[in-house]
Amino acid sequence: MNKTSRVLILGATGNIGGLTAQALAVKYPSINLRLTSSRDAGCDLLRALHPQAEVLKADWYDPGSLPAAFTDVDKVFIVSPDFYTDENIVTPNLINAIQEAGCVAQVLRLISLPPGLTADQLEPDILATRCGANLSVVAKPLFDASGLPMTYLNVASWLMFNVPWFLAAEIKQHRRLAMPQATHASRLWLSECDVAAAAARILASDAALHVGHEYLLTGTERIDFTQLAELLGEVIGEPVTLVDDDQPLRTATGEAFDLLMTYFRHETRDYLDIPVTDSFAQLTGRPPMALRDYLIANRTLFI
């Protein structure tokens, strides 16, 4: 690890970006962190959370705001938020800014992509959701063609924070795991904190060890909603019933509901054959958190 390394995290107020910034600050305090947000309020939040970091306002839709963010940066971590990112605009802007800076030794990009999936294999309405793989199939070919020193962290699993986000209210109030039948599938699960731990480990390591690599990061267990309901019941000590009901998901996701349901049509089909990998253990030296342990750690959200 280069003790004077400067790591830029774009959009560090997001879930994975924020957790990665925290992991780097705690485990690798010698790294100089530069964090960005496109909003003044986001920058204020980052300054409060990370007083030792450099915080800048930068908007990847505004090329003029990017040069200052990339000046004297050794490594960059890019996470695109679902539903809101137009990779056809954002990715070329980022590529141009990184190339013009001329100092970046590694670009770490978070993707979510079943191996071999390409944009021409997806229906136009699915691509239009700008969610999950539908961001990655646009961005990754552009980065691949750029000649930049790329590393990909391919998280082809359900992030565990979806459980409290989508499901906690109904479980807490009615002991129901309520999701529409069309969303049901057997999935691999991964903790968001484990994703951040893997990203931090890569960013804190010698870039030469990881440039040119794609790490397919998965959980180790395939668990469907029936099994999840059983696990939740065991954790909270009361039965949890799986029901076919879309209203709680509508409430949780608001205007994004229809896009999300279109995305589920792809996700429940194209992620079924994701192979289990040991990439996380190779990167961090430990196994990923099991879903049961995650539910136990967050039990208070469901009772």
Side-chain angles (χ1 to χ4, degrees), residues 142-174:
L142 295 172
F143 278 116
D144 286 343
S146 71
L148 291 174
M150 298 301 302
T151 303
Y152 296 102
L153 194 58
N154 187 357
V155 181
S157 297
W158 246 46
L159 292 182
M160 292 179 187
F161 63 45
N162 286 325
V163 180
W165 177 30
F166 291 157
L167 306 173
E170 279 293 304
I171 294 164
K172 188 171 186 174
Q173 296 171 22
H174 305 296

Side-chain angles (χ1 to χ4, degrees), residues 271-293:
Y271 284 73
L272 287 177
D273 297 322
I274 300 290
V276 174
T277 74
D278 64 352
S279 296
F280 179 81
Q282 289 183 5
L283 286 168
T284 66
R286 64 173 176 85
M289 175 179 278
L291 182 55
R292 178 190 294 275
D293 293 333

Side-chain angles (χ1 to χ4, degrees), residues 3 22-23 44 49 53 83 101 107 109 118 138 151 158 178 191 211 216 221 230 232 236 260-261 281 287 289 301:
K3 291 186 177 181
Q22 181 180 347
D44 291 341
L49 291 173
F83 302 119
V107 179
R109 167 66 200 238
T118 58
V138 176
T151 303
W158 246 46
S191 161
V211 167
L216 180 60
E221 302 173 289
E230 293 172 355
L232 283 161
I236 68 176
L260 188 59
M261 291 305 296
M289 175 179 278
L301 298 176

Side-chain angles (χ1 to χ4, degrees), residues 171 175 229-241 299 303:
I171 294 164
R175 298 298 186 251
E230 293 172 355
L231 278 175
L232 283 161
E234 293 171 11
V235 168
I236 68 176
E238 296 181 38
V240 174
T241 303
R299 182 176 181 271
I303 57 175

